[in-house]
Amino acid sequence: MERMTDRALSFDVVAGQYDSARPGYPPALFDAVEELSGRPLHGSRVLDVGAGTGIATRQLLARGAEVTAVEPGPGMAAQLRRTLPDTPLVRGFGDALPIADTSVDLVTYAQSWHWTDPALSLPEALRVLRPGGALALWWNVADPDVPWVAAQDERLRRRGGGGAHGVGGHRAEGLPDELPRVRRALTVPLDSHLANLSSHSLFRVLGGDATAACLAEERAELLKVFPTGSVEEAYTVDLIVTLRPAASSGTRGPSSEV
């Protein structure tokens, strides 16, 4: 877990790049969160854990939620504070939330659950949820069924021992093992795609020279597929929603997914 924490905090040095290059989430995702949690986001007290620069936080606020962001990294937290100066921000990890018991309606993890130890983070989420509240986890995942995405992932694995795509995360008892997938497509300039790619933790580990070489290779390979310089990114959005029982003080409840 110490290695995972170090890698998670490595995003700090690219906080501005992360904020500008990473894609947000489709409206259908938040519709599904409302449906599966059984309550509207508008007026709900939401704890956005691993909030990063606030990409999901902003979208939750736009849906009318009352959001408190939780973020361990000082650089990411500073970027969030610049863009969302009026949003409550707590420095902390999901494995030990500095939040009172039964105080929120919804706990969200956007792209960040896989940096936690589920044996700790799941009980912590259930602890801070009010009875009947919900834990929602989601990820933008580059679609592995698209040939150029699969080829890129293989190149990245050869260079860094792990791809930049996919959840690569942890499940826990009480959470589903199978994730259904909702596909989406975005067309972005090649430079934007490479900026997004280089904001992943893999490149913080590789170091400057290896990162530059890898991105140069990716530019050349992608221009073979997208000679106009517009990359057709293909994503799936994976979502898990788990409910805390309305009549329980802390035991795990039934799980739902979409």
Side-chain angles (χ1 to χ4, degrees):
M1 283 305 300
E2 181 178 355
R3 181 185 175 198
M4 289 176 60
T5 299
D6 290 344
R7 189 159 175 170
L9 290 173
S10 71
F11 290 116
D12 259 5
V13 298
V14 290
Q17 177 183 335
Y18 185 107
D19 191 57
S20 63
R22 289 291 184 99
Y25 306 97
L29 168 71
F30 299 98
D31 293 341
V33 170
E34 290 182 322
E35 179 181 355
L36 292 174
S37 65
R39 64 175 298 131
L41 286 168
H42 186 84
S44 290
R45 299 185 66 182
V46 178
L47 193 67
D48 189 23
V49 187
T53 62
I55 294 172
T57 310
R58 291 193 289 270
Q59 293 184 270
L60 290 163
L61 288 167
R63 298 286 291 237
E66 300 173 8
V67 186
T68 296
V70 179
E71 169 55 38
M76 300 289 265
Q79 181 70 33
L80 188 151
R81 173 61 68 220
R82 283 191 287 272
T83 57
L84 297 172
D86 298 324
T87 299
L89 173 62
V90 177
R91 294 286 303 282
F93 291 90
D95 295 346
L97 292 170
I99 304 296
D101 293 358
T102 63
S103 59
V104 299
D105 301 306
L106 178 68
V107 175
T108 62
Y109 278 82
Q111 308 287 135
S112 56
W113 177 258
H114 53 283
W115 297 118
T116 74
D117 177 354
L120 301 174
S121 55
L122 182 55
E124 275 294 274
L126 294 171
R127 177 183 65 79
V128 303
L129 282 170
R130 64 165 183 82
L135 166 66
L137 324 173
W138 67 79
W139 295 265
N140 271 329
V141 182
D143 191 341
D145 294 333
V146 175
W148 78 261
V149 172
Q152 182 179 75
D153 200 52
E154 179 58 31
R155 290 192 298 270
L156 296 175
R157 289 183 186 281
R158 288 200 307 269
R159 281 188 172 271
H165 303 313
V167 173
H170 301 280
R171 300 291 184 267
E173 183 184 349
L175 294 181
D177 291 324
E178 298 295 330
L179 293 176
R181 295 185 158 183
V182 177
R183 285 175 166 79
R184 65 187 297 222
L186 299 171
T187 300
V188 301
L190 176 57
D191 286 344
S192 296
H193 173 79
L194 293 175
N196 178 356
L197 193 67
S198 64
S199 73
H200 287 253
S201 62
L202 166 65
F203 293 95
R204 311 280 62 78
V205 174
L206 283 179
D209 291 343
T211 292
C214 183
L215 293 177
E217 178 187 13
E218 285 308 307
R219 181 180 294 275
E221 292 293 335
L222 289 171
L223 282 172
K224 297 175 185 177
V225 183
F226 305 107
T228 66
S230 292
V231 178
E232 297 174 8
E233 294 183 331
Y235 290 98
T236 64
V237 184
D238 294 343
L239 169 65
I240 299 173
V241 175
T242 297
L243 303 178
R244 174 176 172 172
S248 172
S249 60
T251 56
R252 276 195 292 271
S255 301
S256 301
E257 56 179 296
V258 68

